Amino acid sequence: MTERPGRRRGGGREGRRAVRSAAAAVTSPYLTRDIPPYEILGEEGLAIIERNADIILEEVGVEIVEFGEALEIYESAGATVEGTRVRFPKGMCRDLTASAPSRFTQHARNPERSVEIGDPHMVLAPAYGSPFVRDLEGGRRYATIEDFRNFAKLTYQSPQLHHAGGTLCEPVDLPVNKRHFDMVYSHVKYSDKPFMGSVTAPERAQDTVDMARIVFGEEFLDENTVIVSLCNANSPLSWDRAMLGSAKVYAENNQATILTPFILAGAMAPVTVAGTAAQTLAEALAGIAFTQIVRPGAPVVLGSFASSMSMQSGAPTFGTPEPALVLWVMAALARRLGVPFRSGGNLTASKVPDAQAAYESAATFFPTLTAGVNFVLHTAGWLEGGLVMGYEKFVLDTDMAGMAGALLAGVDLSDNGQAMDPLLTTGPGQHYLGTEHTLANFESAFWTSQTADSNSFEQWESEGSKAAVDRAHERWRQMLSEYEAPPFDDAVEHELASWIEQRKGSFPDSDVS
Amino acid sequence: MTERPGRRRGGGREGRRAVRSAAAAVTSPYLTRDIPPYEILGEEGLAIIERNADIILEEVGVEIVEFGEALEIYESAGATVEGTRVRFPKGMCRDLTASAPSRFTQHARNPERSVEIGDPHMVLAPAYGSPFVRDLEGGRRYATIEDFRNFAKLTYQSPQLHHAGGTLCEPVDLPVNKRHFDMVYSHVKYSDKPFMGSVTAPERAQDTVDMARIVFGEEFLDENTVIVSLCNANSPLSWDRAMLGSAKVYAENNQATILTPFILAGAMAPVTVAGTAAQTLAEALAGIAFTQIVRPGAPVVLGSFASSMSMQSGAPTFGTPEPALVLWVMAALARRLGVPFRSGGNLTASKVPDAQAAYESAATFFPTLTAGVNFVLHTAGWLEGGLVMGYEKFVLDTDMAGMAGALLAGVDLSDNGQAMDPLLTTGPGQHYLGTEHTLANFESAFWTSQTADSNSFEQWESEGSKAAVDRAHERWRQMLSEYEAPPFDDAVEHELASWIEQRKGSFPDSDVS
């Protein structure tokens, strides 16, 4: 597990050297949390929810949709199968989960960008899955592979994001059944951060693994995790072939999956926080247990995504207090279970990157920061309930996410942090600007936003009275114009491209699914 | 202390009846926190900061500016006075603080709007002190008494705000030395929520007390707290006559003061969190001790206001992680001291209510909610580092603040909250929208924003593609057009107006200070 990734053939040696040289710029490949998680419920409350999840798994169980093999797998481990329903003896899923690692390394093709997923770390990834994009000039439109590539580049260029993410947007100009080739290829070519794989069909998960094998080398892949993928339950209490079949492929190959009940409370779960949490835990446990039956020790992440609902329209709402409560509760439950936790992000229902978008995003992101989330999907770009990936929103969110490091670092109680020397020598009414302590600490003392304007009104006005969205627009355009690809071994790139071309030609295009 | 406020003379009886009838609409005069505070430091860390504050008070002490009487007061209680410097034997300020109540009632002229200040409660008040206002049509301009009245009305109309606040904006069209008459009068006339008094000079504090005596009646005022006022230290480690003199007047009259070090870290304190916290604690302790010498048991609130600084320009920055850390630490220190705590709000350096404004505001407000703050000034309206009170920002902030109740209520673990009935009877893949449990809980299940648009893109577009600021603009204009004043006893109103007229005529206008 300690071996470094990198191809063994062709230009491998030279390639690795180039990678190491580029990687010198990596300062913080992931975050480390030095503040305690915010525990909103005590032992008693958490135990109630755990007990309820067990009862749900035993009495209701989960439905397995069009995936008979999964029924056999569950049955082989002691679950009761009736038709397509799987029920679990009390404690069975929890016992199986014990073999999952509490933390694992996801290797990037640039070893200096490999991330640790699990406590006490936090990895930030961009938004995932939107069919549309939006920017200030072009407005709202269907996403294309060009947009995908743009967001792959912007993510690579954003030091606040540790992870390349997965479906940065849906390249709807490509056939549904072949998009995954171009998405994975883009992640590998335009970035050297760790990435996510396809989950829309088990075959596409296998394609992802095969592509990773070319990039990382056969031996390395067998022993290390280089892909993390997102498998969502069909809440309530249902898992289908696409997601569970993909999870099976990844687990068999020792690759990681994030098993996430994706819940609009009131529609796909009860309207209450405790009810949503119990159902989320039950669904995630069933999914995690599945991966551990397939391959004990396969890396998994317990995911939770819960949104609330407008009482007027039934529309999903974001940045509201109830999902924040679910997030804090689920983080605690994942800690008790001993598996990494995924949740949160910068979520909003707003159509544009306005005050609503920012309030709602921050009202999700702050609970994310204080809960002790280990893997944060949707950190940047999310608009319109996930339907839209926004260019300006992406820039504003990544900037906001930049404060995570300083917040998670907590309070410095060293002598320098206590600052008693300046406190005892600077007189009342004097200022600290020129003190030795301030001068020594000033550059690193405060996190500073790169998109916020904190200047005087007069200066702001003289610079064109720009709103945040205007500054963000300028910034992403400048970033793309300055983009430089990370080094990539020519031989490996050629082999990967050839393999994709051959695979693409081996079956017809389809937009059915 | 249990007696209800209300004038004893003239139309008092009838006035009280009218007040009670109007008050039927009051649903939640203040919030109650059922979630634990987020404790970011443990015993050891907090004890270090407390020890450092004691050392600062003993070795450096505080400077008292142009207020010889305060020197005598401090000396009488055992402090060491040299010139204008006061130093405190270790533990002295803490011992004096012991007489301050951990919680007190601030009475409103409508008894149903009286608030509890102290754990486990939270009271939200609007922004304070800006010389400018801004709205979408009129842009940025100097504030007037008309703006002040508008914000007094809007605050009264906002159920999310429990408190009328104080200097909602500076009515710069009125003489500096007489503004306080019109501000207090406006609070009393246009609202029936509890309000804040003048602190710009001890005489004006006395005027506030005298006006309150007319409104609440002589006897009631002597025994109850009806005014809370904001006394800021001149950091570092300096208190002046205006603030401390006002604090003296209020304490003598059993009225409350919020003693707040207002700190731009790096300029008025060291650049570190622990250093800023130690200085804040020292300054606040010196102020609180002063009130307790003047009148043991006088209600006080420990305040903390800390902002960070741009490393490029030296401009104050808001919504950054370091002030959030200070806020969490100071809340814990106030709890250990056993006094109510004031901090937080919706702070921003943005000039306009855009995404920057909202991100920064939420990045202050979420720590505010989780820290266990008891009194939140600047909940609504703050723009441009406090220089501007924004009409649209006010609406957006109050809306955001509306989520506080649901968040602080925490997780409902009742049988209904656990929702096991619907969880065990709704099958996998079925939806919860029509279940009995959802129908029974739907209306109160989720907090819903009143300014956010969570509708589909198509519906949003058909309604004019409005941004949050557009909706907020419509909302405050509609609110003002629908404003109805709360009942106010004619005789009391007349007496108050006459008294003010007489006082105003008794000395010349001045804009000097």
Side-chain angles (χ1 to χ4, degrees):
Chain A
M1 301 288 268
T2 54
E3 204 184 349
R4 292 292 192 169
R7 275 299 302 279
R8 303 288 168 279
R9 292 162 288 164
R13 193 178 282 267
E14 201 171 339
R16 278 200 299 283
R17 209 163 42 234
V19 160
R20 280 191 191 126
S21 139
V26 180
T27 50
S28 174
Y30 51 85
L31 301 174
T32 299
R33 184 167 51 75
D34 285 323
I35 57 175
Y38 180 36
E39 298 284 0
I40 200 162
L41 280 186
E43 162 66 31
E44 198 183 344
L46 295 170
I48 287 173
I49 293 170
E50 287 171 340
R51 186 200 64 199
N52 290 348
D54 269 356
I55 295 173
I56 294 166
L57 286 168
E58 186 176 43
E59 297 189 14
V60 185
V62 296
E63 190 76 11
I64 302 300
V65 181
E66 297 179 3
F67 194 34
E69 195 186 343
L71 299 170
E72 290 164 28
I73 290 170
Y74 276 125
E75 196 161 32
S76 74
T80 309
V81 175
E82 281 182 70
T84 52
R85 186 72 64 88
V86 183
R87 292 185 177 84
F88 303 88
K90 216 157 262 162
M92 173 185 160
C93 291
R94 188 171 297 273
D95 290 345
L96 284 166
T97 300
S99 62
S102 60
R103 188 169 105 193
F104 63 90
T105 303
Q106 183 189 1
H107 294 268
R109 73 173 178 89
N110 175 348
E112 304 212 11
R113 296 203 194 272
S114 298
V115 295
E116 289 293 306
I117 298 181
D119 265 345
H121 303 298
M122 181 181 246
V123 170
L124 304 181
Y128 184 108
S130 64
F132 299 97
V133 294
R134 171 184 281 278
D135 83 278
L136 196 57
E137 277 177 43
R140 184 189 193 259
R141 59 191 188 276
Y142 274 106
T144 65
I145 188 65
E146 194 55 38
D147 292 306
F148 189 99
R149 290 178 191 133
N150 285 342
F151 282 110
K153 293 173 184 175
L154 292 168
T155 301
Y156 169 67
Q157 291 172 288
S158 301
Q160 304 90 343
L161 299 174
H162 313 106
H163 202 279
T167 306
L168 298 169
C169 55
E170 277 287 345
V172 299
D173 52 340
L174 300 182
V176 167
N177 66 342
K178 296 183 182 174
R179 285 174 193 167
H180 62 292
F181 295 115
D182 298 83
M183 290 197 274
V184 170
Y185 182 76
S186 297
H187 279 310
V188 172
K189 180 172 171 59
Y190 299 111
S191 181
D192 61 2
K193 295 182 180 180
F195 61 90
M196 302 174 80
S198 178
V199 294
T200 51
E203 306 76 54
R204 296 173 201 156
Q206 188 60 55
D207 284 335
T208 307
V209 171
D210 292 343
M211 287 185 271
R213 195 167 280 133
I214 293 169
V215 175
F216 288 88
E218 182 101 27
E219 295 161 48
F220 190 84
L221 193 86
D222 284 346
E223 290 174 17
N224 297 281
T225 297
V226 303
I227 310 164
V228 166
S229 299
L230 181 67
C231 298
N232 287 351
N234 293 328
S235 303
L237 297 168
S238 177
W239 284 95
D240 67 19
R241 178 183 177 277
M243 293 292 174
L244 222 46
S246 297
K248 178 169 174 285
V249 169
Y250 288 121
E252 283 169 343
N253 288 280
N254 199 30
Q255 303 305 305
T257 43
I258 306 171
L259 297 142
T260 309
F262 181 99
I263 290 179
L264 172 59
M268 291 133 80
V271 286
T272 62
V273 170
T276 298
Q279 182 183 314
T280 298
L281 182 58
E283 293 173 351
L285 274 172
I288 292 171
F290 178 80
T291 64
Q292 299 305 304
I293 305 170
V294 169
R295 177 164 171 164
V300 285
V301 177
L302 190 157
S304 170
F305 184 104
S307 69
S308 48
M309 193 191 278
S310 160
M311 292 172 298
Q312 283 81 43
S313 63
T317 53
F318 298 92
T320 51
E322 297 83 8
L325 295 170
V326 172
L327 200 165
W328 281 315
V329 169
M330 290 309 306
L333 292 169
R335 267 192 297 280
R336 287 159 69 95
L337 207 52
V339 291
F341 179 59
R342 171 250 154 160
S343 195
N346 275 296
L347 312 180
T348 179
S350 184
K351 270 53 77 181
V352 288
D354 62 353
Q356 177 190 342
Y359 274 124
E360 291 180 346
S361 294
T364 307
F365 196 61
F366 258 76
T368 305
L369 291 177
T370 51
V373 177
N374 304 117
F375 188 87
V376 184
L377 201 59
H378 309 311
T379 305
W382 169 292
L383 278 175
E384 220 185 278
L387 283 176
V388 173
M389 183 72 160
Y391 280 85
E392 289 81 18
K393 179 69 162 33
F394 181 93
V395 167
L396 294 166
D397 285 340
T398 50
D399 187 28
M400 170 91 174
M403 76 166 65
L407 199 86
L408 297 189
V411 181
D412 173 11
L413 286 172
S414 68
D415 283 351
N416 184 66
Q418 290 184 48
M420 284 302 278
D421 281 349
L423 278 165
L424 296 182
T425 54
T426 311
Q430 303 306 304
H431 71 71
Y432 280 80
L433 287 173
T435 65
E436 202 177 320
H437 182 266
T438 298
L439 294 174
N441 288 279
F442 199 57
E443 275 190 38
S444 60
F446 301 123
W447 172 80
T448 300
S449 163
Q450 298 182 316
T451 64
D453 184 311
S454 297
N455 293 327
S456 70
F457 169 75
E458 290 73 18
Q459 186 168 347
W460 172 79
E461 197 177 36
S462 76
E463 291 171 359
S465 303
K466 287 174 193 157
V469 66
D470 303 314
R471 296 190 293 274
H473 182 74
E474 290 170 8
R475 189 165 176 82
W476 72 259
R477 292 188 54 99
Q478 188 188 350
M479 285 171 75
L480 284 185
S481 76
E482 291 172 355
Y483 170 80
E484 282 182 44
F488 191 17
D489 184 310
D490 281 346
V492 177
E493 181 175 358
H494 181 75
E495 184 182 340
L496 181 62
S498 305
W499 185 90
I500 290 173
E501 197 182 339
Q502 181 267 323
R503 273 288 288 152
K504 275 187 174 178
S506 69
F507 60 102
D509 294 0
S510 168
D511 281 338
V512 175
S513 73
Chain B
M1 300 286 269
T2 55
E3 203 184 352
R4 294 291 193 170
R7 276 297 304 279
R8 304 287 169 279
R9 293 165 287 168
R13 193 178 283 265
E14 202 169 339
R16 279 199 299 284
R17 209 164 39 236
V19 160
R20 282 194 188 124
S21 138
V26 181
T27 51
S28 173
Y30 51 87
L31 300 174
T32 299
R33 184 168 51 75
D34 285 324
I35 57 176
Y38 180 36
E39 297 285 0
I40 201 163
L41 280 186
E43 162 66 29
E44 198 183 344
L46 295 170
I48 286 173
I49 294 171
E50 287 171 340
R51 185 202 63 198
N52 290 350
D54 268 356
I55 295 173
I56 294 166
L57 286 168
E58 186 175 42
E59 295 189 15
V60 185
V62 295
E63 190 75 13
I64 303 299
V65 182
E66 297 180 4
F67 194 35
E69 195 186 343
L71 298 170
E72 290 165 28
I73 290 170
Y74 276 124
E75 195 161 32
S76 75
T80 309
V81 175
E82 279 182 73
T84 52
R85 186 72 63 92
V86 183
R87 291 185 178 83
F88 304 88
K90 217 157 261 163
M92 174 185 159
C93 291
R94 189 171 296 272
D95 290 346
L96 284 165
T97 300
S99 61
S102 60
R103 189 170 105 193
F104 62 91
T105 304
Q106 184 189 0
H107 295 268
R109 74 173 177 88
N110 175 350
E112 306 214 10
R113 295 202 194 274
S114 296
V115 295
E116 289 293 307
I117 298 181
D119 265 346
H121 303 297
M122 182 181 245
V123 171
L124 304 181
Y128 185 107
S130 63
F132 298 97
V133 295
R134 171 185 280 278
D135 83 278
L136 196 58
E137 277 176 44
R140 183 187 193 261
R141 58 191 188 276
Y142 274 108
T144 64
I145 188 65
E146 192 56 37
D147 291 307
F148 189 99
R149 289 177 190 133
N150 285 343
F151 282 110
K153 293 173 182 175
L154 291 169
T155 301
Y156 169 67
Q157 292 172 287
S158 301
Q160 303 92 340
L161 300 174
H162 315 106
H163 202 279
T167 306
L168 299 170
C169 54
E170 277 287 346
V172 299
D173 53 339
L174 301 182
V176 167
N177 66 343
K178 295 183 181 174
R179 286 173 192 169
H180 61 292
F181 295 116
D182 297 83
M183 290 197 274
V184 170
Y185 181 76
S186 297
H187 279 310
V188 172
K189 180 171 171 61
Y190 298 111
S191 181
D192 60 3
K193 295 182 181 180
F195 61 90
M196 301 174 79
S198 178
V199 293
T200 52
E203 308 75 56
R204 297 173 200 157
Q206 187 60 55
D207 285 335
T208 307
V209 170
D210 292 344
M211 286 186 271
R213 194 167 281 134
I214 294 169
V215 176
F216 288 88
E218 183 102 29
E219 295 161 50
F220 191 84
L221 193 85
D222 284 347
E223 290 174 16
N224 297 282
T225 297
V226 303
I227 309 165
V228 166
S229 299
L230 181 67
C231 298
N232 288 351
N234 293 330
S235 303
L237 297 168
S238 178
W239 285 95
D240 68 16
R241 178 185 176 274
M243 292 293 174
L244 222 47
S246 295
K248 178 170 175 284
V249 169
Y250 288 121
E252 284 168 345
N253 288 279
N254 198 30
Q255 303 305 306
T257 43
I258 306 171
L259 297 141
T260 308
F262 181 100
I263 289 179
L264 172 57
M268 292 133 81
V271 287
T272 62
V273 170
T276 298
Q279 183 183 312
T280 298
L281 182 58
E283 292 173 353
L285 274 172
I288 292 171
F290 178 80
T291 65
Q292 299 305 303
I293 305 171
V294 170
R295 177 164 171 164
V300 283
V301 177
L302 188 157
S304 170
F305 184 105
S307 70
S308 48
M309 193 192 276
S310 161
M311 292 170 298
Q312 284 81 44
S313 64
T317 53
F318 298 92
T320 51
E322 297 82 9
L325 294 170
V326 172
L327 199 165
W328 281 314
V329 169
M330 289 310 305
L333 292 169
R335 267 192 296 281
R336 286 159 69 95
L337 207 53
V339 290
F341 179 60
R342 171 250 154 162
S343 195
N346 276 297
L347 312 180
T348 180
S350 183
K351 271 52 78 180
V352 287
D354 62 353
Q356 177 189 343
Y359 274 124
E360 291 179 348
S361 294
T364 308
F365 196 61
F366 257 77
T368 306
L369 291 177
T370 50
V373 177
N374 305 118
F375 188 86
V376 184
L377 202 60
H378 310 311
T379 306
W382 170 291
L383 277 176
E384 219 184 278
L387 283 175
V388 173
M389 183 73 160
Y391 280 85
E392 289 81 18
K393 179 70 164 31
F394 181 93
V395 167
L396 293 166
D397 285 340
T398 50
D399 186 30
M400 171 90 173
M403 76 166 66
L407 199 86
L408 297 188
V411 181
D412 173 11
L413 287 172
S414 68
D415 284 350
N416 184 65
Q418 291 184 49
M420 284 302 277
D421 281 348
L423 278 165
L424 297 181
T425 54
T426 310
Q430 305 303 306
H431 71 69
Y432 281 80
L433 287 172
T435 65
E436 203 178 318
H437 183 265
T438 298
L439 295 173
N441 288 279
F442 199 58
E443 274 190 40
S444 61
F446 300 122
W447 172 80
T448 300
S449 162
Q450 298 182 317
T451 64
D453 184 310
S454 298
N455 292 328
S456 70
F457 170 74
E458 291 72 19
Q459 187 169 346
W460 172 78
E461 199 177 35
S462 77
E463 289 171 1
S465 304
K466 287 174 194 156
V469 66
D470 303 314
R471 295 189 294 273
H473 182 73
E474 290 171 7
R475 190 167 175 82
W476 72 258
R477 294 190 50 101
Q478 188 188 350
M479 285 171 75
L480 284 185
S481 76
E482 290 172 355
Y483 170 81
E484 282 182 42
F488 191 15
D489 184 310
D490 280 347
V492 177
E493 181 174 358
H494 181 74
E495 184 180 342
L496 181 62
S498 305
W499 185 89
I500 290 173
E501 198 182 338
Q502 181 267 321
R503 273 288 288 151
K504 275 187 175 179
S506 70
F507 60 102
D509 293 359
S510 168
D511 281 336
V512 175
S513 73

